[in-house]
Amino acid sequence: MDRSRSRRPSIRRPSALNVHSVAGQVFILQVAVVVLLVIAAVTALVLQARSASLQEAKERSLVGAETFAHAPGTLAAMKSPDPSALLQPQAEAARKNSGVAYIIAFDTNGIRWTHPDPNLIGKHVVGSYAEALAGRVHQETYDTPGVGRAVDAMVPVFDTDGEVVGLVSVGITLQSINERVTEQLPLLIGSAVVGLALVTSGSALVSRRLRRQTHGLDPAEMTRMYEHHDAVLHSVREGVVVVSGEGRLLLANDEARRLLDLPEDGEGRPVTGLGLAPRAAALLTSGRVVTDEVILAGERLLAVNLRPTAPTGSVATLRDTTELRALAGRAEVARERLELLYDAGVRIGTTLDVVRTAEELAEVAVPRFADFVTVELLDAVRQGEEPNGDVRPSMDRIAVRGIRDDHPLTPAGERITFVPSMPQAQGLQSGHAVLVPELSGAPHWRAQDPERARRVVDFGIHSLITVPLQARGTALGMVDFWRSDQKAFTRDDLAFAEELAARAAVAIDNARRYTREHTMAVTLQRSLLPHALPEQSALEVAHRYLPAQAGVGGDWFDVIPLPGARVALVVGDVVGHGLHAAATMGRLRTAVHNYCGLDLSPDELLSHLDELVARIDESETADSESEPVTGATCLFAIYDPVSGHCTVTRAGHPGPAVVHPDGSVTFPDIPVSPPLGLGAGLPIETAELPLPDGSRLALYTDGLVEDRDRDIDVGLELLRGALAHPDRTPEQDCQAVLDALLPDRPRDDIALLVARTRRLDPDRVADWDVPSDPAALGPLRAACARRLEAWGLDEIAFTTELILSELVTNAIRYGGDPIRLRLLYDRDSLICEVSDGSSTSPHLRRAATTDEGGRGLFLVAQFARRWGTRYTDRGKVIWSEQSLDAAESGLDEAMGDLLLDQWDEPTL
């Protein structure tokens, strides 16, 4: 064990105080400097303390003299017969309280009035006081008898007229000043000792650390160590450059010389004169902190780290990152493509419109992936239909997008049939993307249209990727990515192109399916709406119906002819959208037609409709798979061309607009009832509007005047302005209203109905009061025959006489007063109306062969086109409508004479 230790080489551990080591020399020098600094500091502090004490003594003596000289009673005492008796006690009291050496008051001749030593009172002052007698403050150091050397301040005391009557002198001895300085010496010396100890300890620690860093080496040993470090510096594979604060190259290792291509004699020369790239030279001389900033040096990409060095200058390290930069570039491309796929998922398919979705695909890809993008779709897909799975090379170009608009590519809207050699046809057959990296060298691509292909290449488009758009295994179309300014496509781009196309294909297929469902709903809705308005003479009618962009709704309108040349106008709106709302609308429209067939009054009709909607809600609420109607609105109006009155009622629906013949527009106050299905049996009110001939009535749904971006009052004012023109036709009114109020993308269905009134010619109306006497039938029949002859209706005179005789006879026998007969000659029909005050309605029945009566209404039903009963506030009206064609009446003259023999014909 001892032998091994004896063979182990001895390691010298020098002391920090070894003058041969760098650490020992530094320590001795630091201690010497610190001792000199401490001595100088103590001396300066003593001198400073003495100077400060002397200045303080001067200020205190001056303040004391001024205070005593101007104290109350000092002036009066000096002017008294015995100043000493008054001033001596005050001076001694003030001296003792203030701690000064003396307070001496004396007259202008220098005779003392006060003194700490009473024996000196009345004796002459020693020293000069001429300056004080002149009225100025005098300060000086004196040897005062009985006190010693002191700092003295002499202040004059002035009389009221400004004359000096006496002087006050206050002094502080120098001995007291020195005592104060002496009192501070222990503190100063103690502070110096503590500071010396701290600095010596710090120097020892610094020297110890320096000893550790230098390992106690002497200069020769440190030189050898530097040589070793220099060898390591030039052997590392990272460039190291040291630049001075003046921008000169101080040090560059071998790797830095290789990376920057530095000359052999570069050290000591300005960096800007070494032939470096301007950016590299500016960076190395900037002196700022840089971390991994990439610069180009020749063909190399260098990562530079730059740090400043003390006192000036900087050190830079260089790494060759050319290959790393290539990897980072590929990673950046991957990141950008992931971001593009994310944006595609957000931006493609926002409208559920096939064409717009294809355009969004083109907009997303340009210019981030391609310079130009074209999209072609099968015709069935564009129409919203289900593709049959057959791969057809004939497609419609839907969208074209590019960085320039003057490109020679086939524009949107044209049909393209791809020949089998085209990349698009090959992609459709294979179901995968096809790459054409260089179009100029692809002859099969030119086969489609050689002239256009030549112009495409001449334009600068050089590369193509075509990808089939497939969803659920079915081809929908193609998307073509073209490049002109960017680098040519490579096989690495195929996977991304297919991913982008796959996402777009799903969105296009969703839009196609929505288009198909929307088309089906619109078709159903339009099939439930009137295809053509019925012919009638009371109104000239025009209409518009516009479904919402988001989907079909439950708006509807109708024009229904009623007995007596009257016409019913209906506008309604079912709450909600979709097929359910459209189907409910069809049910309500059918119900309105059926109720109109019963010739109900407007308020009674809406009451029945309200009950129907409530029953529908109840039945569909019980069925969990169905949605309730949750209400509907309706406006129902009946216009009578004979009286010119319009009876209007509404249930939760906007009121009509009335355009008077002079062009003024009003919105009549129509009583409003709750929406249909929510009335809960509440009564429904009506309003009767007198409409002059040529007036126009506008009925509409709330989608016309209401909008999220517009208040309903604004919509009504726009409607008023659009209708306020007296000479327009209803058709022109409809167009003007839509131009003024229709939004770009309607959020709700819009139904508009405009009707211009036409009064029935008074010459075509005839009425008589009928007495309650059967004998009046003959004269009444004769009067009717004369009126028919005047109208030129002789061919149907017999049938008419038979019908009115039966109706009048029933009214006389079974009805009540008053009884009236009215004939209306309207277009191709003659209407016969008999009204009475009874609400009892006759019934059609088949009489037996043995019955003597009961065949009247049967004959009326046989020979009239239609007949029926209408109830009024004061009774009922039995009416019949005949065709003006005698052949349709089915009654010859012989049969008429036979049936009319029972009535006498005296002149009426």
Side-chain angles (χ1 to χ4, degrees):
M1 196 67 178
D2 294 337
R3 291 178 181 178
S4 63
R5 286 187 177 180
S6 62
R7 290 194 299 268
R8 186 178 300 171
S10 60
I11 300 176
R12 180 171 56 90
R13 300 182 182 276
S15 172
L17 296 178
N18 188 351
V19 296
H20 296 289
S21 67
V22 175
Q25 295 173 0
V26 170
F27 176 73
I28 293 174
L29 179 61
Q30 287 179 336
V31 171
V33 171
V34 169
V35 171
L36 292 177
L37 289 177
V38 169
I39 294 173
V42 171
T43 304
L45 288 174
V46 171
L47 294 177
Q48 183 179 3
R50 180 175 180 80
S51 176
S53 298
L54 182 61
Q55 181 65 28
E56 182 183 359
K58 290 181 179 181
E59 294 175 355
R60 287 179 59 196
S61 63
L62 179 60
V63 170
E66 290 280 358
T67 302
F68 191 83
H70 297 92
T74 301
L75 178 60
M78 288 183 176
K79 294 171 65 178
S80 66
D82 189 3
S84 295
L86 298 175
L87 294 176
Q88 177 66 12
Q90 295 180 5
E92 285 302 301
R95 180 183 66 80
K96 295 177 180 179
N97 292 332
S98 62
V100 298
Y102 60 83
I103 298 177
I104 301 174
F106 55 96
D107 60 13
T108 56
N109 296 320
I111 303 302
R112 297 185 183 97
W113 287 327
T114 63
H115 195 277
D117 187 0
N119 296 325
L120 297 179
I121 295 175
K123 294 183 179 181
H124 199 276
V125 173
V126 180
S128 173
Y129 53 90
E131 185 178 2
L133 286 177
R136 295 187 295 274
V137 175
H138 177 72
Q139 282 189 306
E140 195 173 346
T141 303
Y142 293 104
D143 288 325
T144 305
V147 175
R149 193 164 183 80
V151 176
D152 181 85
M154 192 176 297
V155 177
V157 178
F158 297 96
D159 200 352
T160 56
D161 56 359
E163 184 180 356
V164 177
V165 297
L167 304 174
V168 176
S169 176
V170 177
I172 299 176
T173 62
L174 294 180
Q175 182 180 359
S176 65
I177 295 175
N178 294 332
E179 290 177 353
R180 293 192 61 185
V181 174
T182 302
E183 292 174 355
Q184 296 178 8
L185 283 177
L187 177 61
L188 295 176
I189 294 174
S191 299
V193 171
V194 172
L196 178 60
L198 291 176
V199 173
T200 303
S201 301
S203 299
L205 293 175
V206 171
S207 299
R208 182 180 179 184
R209 183 172 183 180
L210 181 61
R211 180 177 60 83
R212 290 179 178 177
Q213 292 178 348
T214 60
H215 301 284
L217 301 177
D218 58 22
E221 292 173 329
M222 291 189 66
T223 299
R224 289 194 300 273
M225 183 67 70
Y226 169 77
E227 293 175 352
H228 295 162
H229 290 174
D230 185 67
V232 173
L233 177 67
H234 290 285
S235 64
V236 296
R237 300 302 298 171
E238 185 171 286
V240 179
V241 176
V242 180
V243 181
S244 68
E246 293 78 19
R248 295 182 178 275
L249 179 63
L250 299 180
L251 173 67
N253 66 349
D254 294 342
E255 182 68 8
R257 295 178 183 277
R258 183 184 70 84
L259 295 177
L260 296 176
D261 196 17
L262 296 175
E264 292 294 334
D265 58 346
E267 295 183 355
R269 294 170 53 184
V271 174
T272 54
L274 298 178
L276 301 179
R279 182 184 174 190
L283 179 62
L284 293 176
T285 58
S286 64
R288 57 191 178 93
V289 177
V290 173
T291 301
D292 288 339
E293 182 171 332
V294 178
I295 61 173
L296 182 64
E299 297 181 353
R300 298 185 182 93
L301 289 174
L302 303 181
V304 180
N305 291 274
L306 189 64
R307 295 293 184 274
T309 59
T312 58
S314 58
V315 59
T317 59
L318 313 173
R319 297 194 314 275
D320 190 352
T321 61
T322 305
E323 296 182 358
L324 181 62
R325 185 66 176 179
L327 293 175
R330 289 194 289 270
E332 179 66 17
V333 171
R335 185 193 64 80
E336 292 177 354
R337 291 190 173 179
L338 286 175
E339 184 178 353
L340 178 55
L341 288 176
Y342 172 79
D343 291 343
V346 174
R347 295 175 54 187
I348 298 177
T350 59
T351 61
L352 292 177
D353 180 82
V354 174
V355 175
R356 180 55 190 156
T357 304
E359 293 173 349
E360 289 171 344
L361 166 60
E363 292 171 359
V364 167
V366 174
R368 297 165 66 180
F369 180 66
D371 296 319
F372 297 90
V373 174
T374 58
V375 182
E376 300 85 29
L377 296 178
L378 295 172
D379 184 65
V381 176
R382 185 175 61 85
Q383 299 295 334
E385 300 175 2
E386 185 76 27
N388 55 15
D390 296 338
V391 179
R392 297 182 180 180
S394 182
M395 300 183 184
D396 294 327
R397 177 152 288 180
I398 301 299
V400 178
R401 185 80 173 185
I403 57 176
R404 294 171 55 184
D405 296 332
D406 56 344
H407 57 81
L409 297 172
T410 303
E414 293 190 11
R415 182 176 289 272
I416 303 176
T417 301
F418 298 107
V419 299
S421 63
M422 290 289 290
Q424 289 84 351
Q426 297 173 9
L428 283 175
Q429 291 292 338
S430 64
H432 297 285
V434 176
L435 168 65
V436 183
E438 187 61 43
L439 291 175
S440 60
H444 58 281
W445 171 74
R446 298 174 178 268
Q448 176 74 33
D449 188 345
E451 177 59 25
R452 186 180 293 275
R454 183 188 62 78
R455 287 190 285 117
V456 168
V457 174
D458 293 343
F459 182 77
I461 298 176
H462 55 75
S463 183
L464 164 68
I465 289 181
T466 178
V467 188
L469 295 170
Q470 300 180 96
R472 297 178 290 110
T474 303
L476 307 177
M478 299 291 299
V479 56
D480 306 318
F481 302 102
W482 313 78
R483 281 186 177 178
S484 59
D485 295 356
Q486 302 183 46
K487 294 182 180 180
F489 287 114
T490 64
R491 302 200 65 83
D492 295 337
D493 298 316
L494 288 176
F496 174 78
E498 289 186 339
E499 177 66 20
L500 182 60
R503 298 195 178 198
V506 173
I508 291 175
D509 189 55
N510 290 338
R512 178 198 62 78
R513 297 170 66 181
Y514 171 80
T515 301
R516 181 184 63 179
E517 295 177 1
H518 181 72
T519 302
M520 292 173 57
V522 171
T523 302
L524 172 62
Q525 185 184 42
R526 292 193 179 278
S527 67
L528 297 175
L529 291 172
H531 298 283
L533 298 181
E535 295 184 3
Q536 41 79 35
S537 59
L539 297 170
E540 179 186 355
V541 181
H543 67 279
R544 292 288 189 277
Y545 179 79
L546 297 175
Q549 292 289 339
V552 298
D555 293 17
W556 90 91
F557 65 92
D558 224 328
V559 178
I560 306 172
L562 297 177
R566 297 170 303 137
V567 178
L569 301 176
V570 188
V571 173
D573 183 6
V574 176
V575 175
H577 292 84
L579 291 174
H580 181 71
T584 303
M585 175 269 291
R587 297 167 70 178
L588 297 183
R589 180 170 176 259
T590 302
V592 171
H593 272 269
N594 292 335
Y595 293 144
C596 286
L598 299 176
D599 210 353
L600 300 177
S601 61
D603 55 341
E604 189 175 1
L605 185 144
L606 286 190
S607 296
H608 287 294
L609 207 61
D610 177 65
E611 295 176 0
L612 174 63
V613 174
R615 287 197 301 270
I616 294 176
D617 268 348
E618 292 176 359
S619 62
E620 295 190 352
T621 301
D623 184 3
S624 59
E625 297 182 359
S626 300
E627 297 180 1
V629 178
T630 66
T633 66
C634 182
L635 186 146
F636 187 82
I638 296 179
Y639 174 69
D640 187 351
V642 178
S643 64
H645 285 198
C646 182
T647 304
V648 184
T649 185
R650 61 183 178 134
H653 201 85
V658 177
V659 186
H660 299 278
D662 60 356
S664 61
V665 180
T666 60
F667 295 94
D669 186 14
I670 308 298
V672 60
S673 301
L676 301 176
L678 306 176
L682 296 177
I684 298 177
E685 301 181 49
T686 62
E688 189 165 325
L689 306 177
L691 299 179
D693 192 18
S695 300
R696 282 168 288 163
L697 193 65
L699 283 66
Y700 51 88
T701 55
D702 56 0
L704 180 67
V705 294
E706 292 184 5
D707 191 75
R708 296 178 184 175
D709 304 325
R710 182 180 63 203
D711 189 73
I712 186 172
D713 293 334
V714 177
L716 291 176
E717 287 303 317
L718 292 175
L719 178 61
R720 184 195 304 273
L723 292 174
H725 296 275
D727 300 328
R728 281 182 179 167
T729 63
E731 187 68 29
Q732 293 171 337
D733 279 334
C734 288
Q735 191 60 45
V737 168
L738 293 185
D739 291 342
L741 283 88
L742 185 65
D744 295 335
R745 295 183 61 83
R747 298 184 177 94
D748 194 5
D749 291 5
I750 295 175
L752 174 64
L753 196 63
V754 179
R756 181 162 62 184
T757 62
R758 292 186 294 206
R759 295 286 296 273
L760 191 61
D761 189 352
D763 292 339
R764 293 198 171 195
V765 179
D767 56 352
W768 296 270
D769 292 326
V770 179
S772 298
D773 184 1
L777 288 176
L780 184 63
R781 188 177 59 194
C784 292
R786 290 192 297 271
R787 178 54 62 96
L788 293 177
E789 183 180 0
W791 287 342
L793 303 178
D794 296 335
E795 295 181 355
I796 63 170
F798 290 108
T799 306
T800 303
E801 291 180 18
L802 173 63
I803 291 174
L804 68 86
S805 297
E806 176 59 30
L807 297 181
V808 171
T809 301
N810 283 338
I812 294 175
R813 290 180 180 177
Y814 308 110
D817 292 331
I819 302 173
R820 289 185 59 82
L821 170 63
R822 185 171 73 169
L823 296 179
L824 302 177
Y825 177 19
D826 180 30
R827 293 189 310 118
D828 62 344
S829 62
L830 178 67
I831 302 168
C832 177
E833 297 180 344
V834 177
S835 62
D836 64 79
S838 172
S839 60
T840 303
S841 176
H843 298 280
L844 178 65
R845 63 186 180 87
R846 291 183 177 274
T849 55
T850 58
D851 290 341
E852 296 182 0
R855 298 178 178 84
L857 286 181
F858 177 76
L859 294 176
V860 171
Q862 290 295 317
F863 301 131
R865 179 189 295 170
R866 296 184 301 163
W867 76 279
T869 303
R870 178 171 72 254
Y871 292 95
T872 65
D873 296 338
R874 299 180 180 179
K876 64 178 182 298
V877 176
I878 309 297
W879 58 270
S880 67
E881 180 180 317
Q882 299 170 250
S883 173
L884 300 183
D885 187 358
E888 294 183 13
S889 65
L891 181 66
D892 56 17
E893 185 175 350
M895 178 63 72
D897 290 340
L898 179 63
L899 294 173
L900 296 175
D901 283 342
Q902 56 180 312
W903 289 293
D904 296 327
E905 296 184 0
T907 301
L908 185 61

